[in-house]
Amino acid sequence: MYKLGQCLTDNATGRMYQRISKASARKLFNKGYTIRILPCNVRFNNEWIAPINFNYTDTSDFDIFVNSYQYYNCCTDLGLYPNYFVACDVLQ
C-alpha cells in the first residue's frame, strides 16, 4: 500500500512510526487509523513536546483538527506546519 521508509522508534512505548504526507494521513484517518501530529521542527522523541494522537473517534473532521492544531501549536520556533506519523505496522 505505502512505500515503507525509515521508521522512528518512540522511546516511551517502543513502537515504530513513520512520517507520512498530509494526503496519506487524511486517507488513513478516514479509514479509522490513529495519526500522530507534531510541529515540523520538533524531534520525534522530544522531552518537552510529545506528538498528539488523534483518530476518527476523537474528531470527525481531519481538516478542522489539523487547522486548530496548526494555529495553536505551530510557530516560527517550532515550525510553521505539522508533520504526520503513523505506526509502521499499519503500513505493511
Side-chain angles (χ1 to χ4, degrees), residues 18-87:
Q18 181 177 351
R19 183 176 171 210
I20 57 174
S21 67
K22 185 175 184 177
S24 297
R26 183 181 287 116
K27 288 177 187 176
L28 291 171
F29 172 83
N30 289 333
K31 290 181 180 180
Y33 292 105
T34 300
I35 306 296
R36 295 186 108 184
I37 189 169
L38 187 67
C40 65
N41 289 344
V42 178
R43 283 185 304 126
F44 186 73
N45 286 313
N46 190 314
E47 298 92 20
W48 304 105
I49 301 172
I52 294 177
N53 294 334
F54 71 101
N55 57 24
Y56 198 78
T57 58
D58 297 335
T59 179
S60 60
D61 193 347
F62 179 84
D63 291 317
I64 290 175
F65 180 83
V66 170
N67 289 340
S68 298
Y69 180 87
Q70 189 169 352
Y71 180 79
Y72 289 108
N73 295 297
C74 295
C75 62
T76 55
D77 292 333
L78 299 177
L80 296 176
Y81 60 91
N83 284 338
Y84 307 93
F85 299 91
V86 69

